[in-house]
Amino acid sequence: MALQQFGVIGLAVMGENLALNVERNGFPIAVYNRTKEKTDAFMATRAQGKNVVAAYTIEDFVKSLERPRRILIMVQAGGPVDAVINQLKPYLEEGDILIDGGNSLFDDTARRTRELEPAGFRFVGMGVSGGEEGALNGPSLMPGGTKSSYEYLEPIFAKIAAQVDDGPCVTYIGPAGAGHYVKMVHNGIEYGDMQLIAEAYDLLKNAAGLDHKQLHEVFAEWNTTEELNSFLIEITADIFNYIDPDTNQPLVEVILDAAGQKGTGRWTVQSALELGVAIPTITAAVNARIMSSYKKERVAAASVLTGPSGKYEGDPKTFVNQVRDALYCSKICSYAQGMALLSSASKAYSYNLNLSEISRIWKGGCIIRAGFLNKIKHAFNENPELPNMLLAPEFKQTILDRQQAWREVISQAAKLGIPVPAFSASLDYFDSYRGDRLPQNLTQAQRDYFGAHTYERIDKPGFFHTEWTKAAEESVQTSTPRPLQAQEPQTAARTTVGSAE
């Protein structure tokens, strides 16, 4: 009896769709789900007539696969993944490959790699983006693990991934948790993108007064442009066209304004804080979802906390074009922050990430697929050590040409009391990054004043500490102003002396 070439554990929609994708591309599959009813339903419907073998025990599932076994685990992240791995281990043999295709935390993936590899098993943590449709028809795949494991899986992954002009949307990402780390940051960028689009919608609807038909037309037109052509802009245009059959109103307007989240955006922010990378647009997007969850509090506050209101009084067409420019500039900043985080993580965790290739595999299948990813790919291909996307010729002049519109939109939003946290965070990021002098010299002085944390000077090397209270008293007692006296240069370790912040 011929054995199956690929196995899938977990038959929720993503698992089913990936299984069917693999089978459709010529690889016989075996499937297993912890509930027999789910397996039976799949076999009786979507899998009927296809080269699919169902197993009802883990042992039978493993036995149905040719060696080395290739097993994709599609269950909820966290404990369920560990549970499935523990169930599989007694039946696995040396060289078998386990693939976690869920949204696992990269630290968990690294731990599982450390646990499984010494036992002779191979483990791949793979980010999968594209939602249900992508899983079935071609997702963006971000596999991390040992290179030899990826090479054995590549013939399958290259077939099932989305296909774009320069190849399949899959590449070897890097060792250990690299694949899930890149998927996590992908989702962080996705958070930023979605919040920026939501703010553009808010401005156009509540400031410029556009109705749902006009909003559809604007976003559909934006999707034809090189700058904003993307999956998220495309589906946004579609959303404005959908009329709720119960109320005869645009469905989007009867949806509760409290957004959910599954954790990947929060993980991105936490990782950025740990690595010391500024990602304010993504952070603002996570915060915006949190703020949206305070629905009852916001409704109550709206009756007592007043602010400006009204409509934009200028030319609506001009404002629409300004919002478009603000959206694109902010979007560039959001991606720049994500790529800067990937660059930092690559060094910190020895991932050796190829940012140009990562940009390429995001061109198709995934949620953040967009036309301007070609420009990002080119920027990092031209200069793999590019410190920030904002410095690339593809983006530098774009922002310089459009920043006035960007500033005007944020100014109008403030005047009308419309919150634009991600737009504002993006502009702040741009202005901070281009600032050759920021006010943190005062912050350093304050830290030295209350905690003797020391500071560096711009005119000579070393670390210094000033007795600020004594110096201030002396300056009051004398009629001749004189500079504050600094102590001899201190060592870097001096920064730990004094009270903690």
Side-chain angles (χ1 to χ4, degrees), residues 425-499:
S426 298
L427 181 57
D428 288 343
Y429 180 78
F430 172 73
D431 281 338
S432 294
Y433 193 72
R434 70 179 185 84
D436 62 349
R437 180 90 169 153
L438 296 174
Q440 274 60 53
N441 53 318
L442 176 58
T443 304
Q444 285 299 86
Q446 291 170 329
R447 294 179 72 244
D448 188 58
Y449 189 113
F450 67 69
H453 291 291
T454 76
Y455 55 85
E456 293 176 272
R457 296 175 59 101
I458 62 175
D459 56 352
K460 50 188 172 183
F463 290 83
F464 299 84
H465 169 60
T466 293
E467 296 294 340
W468 294 89
T469 305
K470 181 180 178 182
E473 290 172 350
E474 290 177 354
S475 66
V476 170
Q477 293 170 3
T478 178
S479 59
T480 305
R482 61 188 181 87
L484 297 174
Q485 298 299 309
Q487 294 182 351
E488 290 298 314
Q490 307 290 312
T491 64
R494 185 70 174 84
T495 60
T496 63
V497 175
S499 62

Side-chain angles (χ1 to χ4, degrees), residues 248-487:
N248 205 34
Q249 298 295 314
L251 178 59
V252 69
E253 301 304 337
V254 296
I255 294 176
L256 183 69
D257 57 321
Q261 53 182 314
K262 292 188 175 179
T264 47
R266 183 181 71 252
W267 293 347
T268 305
V269 173
Q270 290 170 337
S271 180
L273 289 171
E274 290 169 359
L275 293 174
V277 179
I279 56 166
T281 306
I282 297 170
T283 302
V286 173
N287 286 336
R289 293 199 189 189
I290 294 170
M291 284 295 295
S292 77
S293 70
Y294 302 161
K295 178 64 177 180
K296 290 183 178 179
E297 291 180 49
R298 290 189 289 111
V299 170
S303 65
V304 295
L305 299 178
T306 60
S309 62
K311 298 292 184 182
Y312 175 71
E313 296 180 355
D315 176 42
K317 289 185 178 179
T318 299
F319 190 65
V320 167
N321 290 334
Q322 289 175 331
V323 171
R324 177 200 62 206
D325 289 348
L327 176 58
Y328 186 46
C329 290
S330 298
K331 185 184 180 82
I332 290 171
C333 287
S334 182
Y335 278 74
Q337 293 161 34
M339 301 311 277
L341 178 55
L342 289 178
S343 178
S344 180
S346 181
K347 297 179 179 70
Y349 303 129
S350 301
Y351 287 158
N352 194 30
L353 300 180
N354 184 330
L355 299 187
S356 178
E357 184 69 353
I358 289 169
S359 304
R360 185 194 69 77
I361 68 169
W362 286 349
K363 287 168 53 179
C366 73
I367 302 302
I368 64 170
R369 61 186 184 264
F372 92 131
L373 279 161
N374 259 326
K375 293 184 177 181
I376 300 177
K377 171 195 164 187
H378 180 260
F380 285 105
N381 188 51
E382 288 290 302
N383 182 6
E385 300 302 319
L386 183 69
N388 194 292
M389 260 175 55
L390 297 178
L391 301 176
E394 286 86 350
F395 302 112
K396 178 181 67 176
Q397 197 58 48
T398 292
I399 289 186
L400 294 180
D401 291 343
R402 301 175 188 226
Q403 65 172 303
Q404 189 54 46
W406 194 9
R407 297 179 190 280
E408 179 64 25
V409 166
I410 293 172
S411 174
Q412 286 295 331
K415 290 177 181 178
L416 296 173
I418 297 174
V420 285
F423 272 27
S424 299
S426 298
L427 181 57
D428 288 343
Y429 180 78
F430 172 73
D431 281 338
S432 294
Y433 193 72
R434 70 179 185 84
D436 62 349
R437 180 90 169 153
L438 296 174
Q440 274 60 53
N441 53 318
L442 176 58
T443 304
Q444 285 299 86
Q446 291 170 329
R447 294 179 72 244
D448 188 58
Y449 189 113
F450 67 69
H453 291 291
T454 76
Y455 55 85
E456 293 176 272
R457 296 175 59 101
I458 62 175
D459 56 352
K460 50 188 172 183
F463 290 83
F464 299 84
H465 169 60
T466 293
E467 296 294 340
W468 294 89
T469 305
K470 181 180 178 182
E473 290 172 350
E474 290 177 354
S475 66
V476 170
Q477 293 170 3
T478 178
S479 59
T480 305
R482 61 188 181 87
L484 297 174
Q485 298 299 309
Q487 294 182 351

Side-chain angles (χ1 to χ4, degrees), residues 4-37:
Q4 304 301 92
Q5 295 180 10
F6 196 82
V8 177
I9 294 179
L11 293 176
V13 177
M14 287 292 289
E16 282 192 3
N17 284 0
L18 284 168
L20 293 172
N21 189 348
V22 171
E23 193 276 339
R24 186 181 67 248
N25 279 284
F27 303 95
I29 64 169
V31 298
Y32 171 81
N33 195 78
R34 65 184 178 86
T35 58
K36 178 180 182 296
E37 293 77 15

Side-chain angles (χ1 to χ4, degrees), residues 111-132:
R111 169 181 57 79
R112 291 168 185 140
T113 301
R114 292 192 301 269
E115 293 170 353
L116 290 166
E117 296 281 344
F121 310 132
R122 292 182 281 183
F123 187 70
V124 170
M126 182 171 70
V128 180
S129 180
E132 298 173 10

